[in-house]
Every structure is written in C-alpha cells, then in structure tokens.
Amino acid sequence: ENEDCPRCNYYLSDDEVVSGWTPGDNNDYTTTCPNCTQRFVPHFCVQSSSPTFMGSKGAASPLLCERLSPWVLQKEIRSVMSDVDGIDSLLDPAWREKENKNGVLWWNLVLSCMRYRLSFTFLLQGSFEQNLIAPMPEDE
C-alpha cells in the first residue's frame, strides 16, 4: 500500500507509513510524511467483484479504510472482543457489514496479517467463496 501526503504529495511507501507511526500510542491515528513532516491519517481501499460487497458508498462500491497502527488496532480489537460475543462477532461476516467501522477494523486486521506474513485464512471462514476481495491502493 502507498499513500500520498496531503501537503506535499510525496508518495509514501508502506514502510514509510509504518515508520511514521508513533510507537506505542494507541490514540494516534496519524503517520508522518518523511518529506515535509506533515501528520495525516493514512488510508487504503478494499475492492471486490462481489455485487453484495458493502463499500463506503453502499453495495458493490470500494471501502475506504483508515490505516491503523498496530497499537490502535489492538485497542479497537480488544474493545470488540470485550463485547458479549467476543471473537465470534469479529469472525461473523454480518458484523463487518453492519457498520463501516467494523469493516475497517476487520480489513486492518487482514492487512496487518498480510504485512507481517501471518495466516489470516481463519478470518475468512467461508465468507467470500469465489469472490475476489483484496486491499488495494486507492485510485484517484
């Protein structure tokens, strides 16, 4: 994933986005541009070939997601897991379709697993069958 700085339009690589996070800060949703030091919230986009995929603008549209640092993601996932259904809600496809925020958390979890080369197939559990769904850079 790559991101453009909103101030100087510098094209940040995935490693630069990660390097710009504040280590250990679970309340900081921003990264830092290495070119101009502007702090901003990075994003990524998830697209699907499924007509029922719920994106930011409804069915079959892309889902624009805030890119969360591991510390923010951990805080948010712990919050979800402290709910009555715990991990079961996180693994339920209906949960991530219920609100964009839930989908954003789930896709950040998938993206983090991909970045650190961890298995994430347990998250899919038959949710997508033959449909192609993948985190992708946003086209502008």
Side-chain angles (χ1 to χ4, degrees), residues 38-130:
Q38 170 74 25
R39 296 203 60 80
F40 66 97
V41 177
H43 292 86
F44 66 96
C45 187
V46 180
Q47 297 180 325
S48 171
S49 61
S50 171
T52 60
F53 179 79
M54 288 304 285
S56 300
K57 296 180 181 175
S61 70
L63 177 64
L64 183 62
C65 301
E66 295 175 338
R67 175 93 184 263
L68 305 178
S69 74
W71 304 280
V72 172
L73 182 58
Q74 179 185 28
K75 176 186 81 171
E76 297 291 346
I77 294 297
R78 281 186 176 175
S79 173
V80 169
M81 302 228 354
S82 69
D83 289 344
V84 175
D85 294 327
I87 189 74
D88 291 333
S89 62
L90 184 68
L91 295 175
D92 183 357
W95 174 82
R96 69 178 163 268
E97 294 169 1
K98 184 177 177 183
E99 295 181 44
N100 273 356
K101 176 187 175 188
N102 296 354
V104 168
L105 289 177
W106 193 84
W107 283 109
N108 267 278
L109 189 56
V110 169
L111 191 62
S112 292
C113 287
M114 290 172 63
R115 174 168 173 71
Y116 298 108
R117 300 181 193 277
L118 302 171
S119 176
F120 60 90
T121 54
F122 70 96
L123 292 170
L124 303 177
Q125 299 204 356
S127 313
F128 302 110
E129 298 167 7
Q130 300 293 324

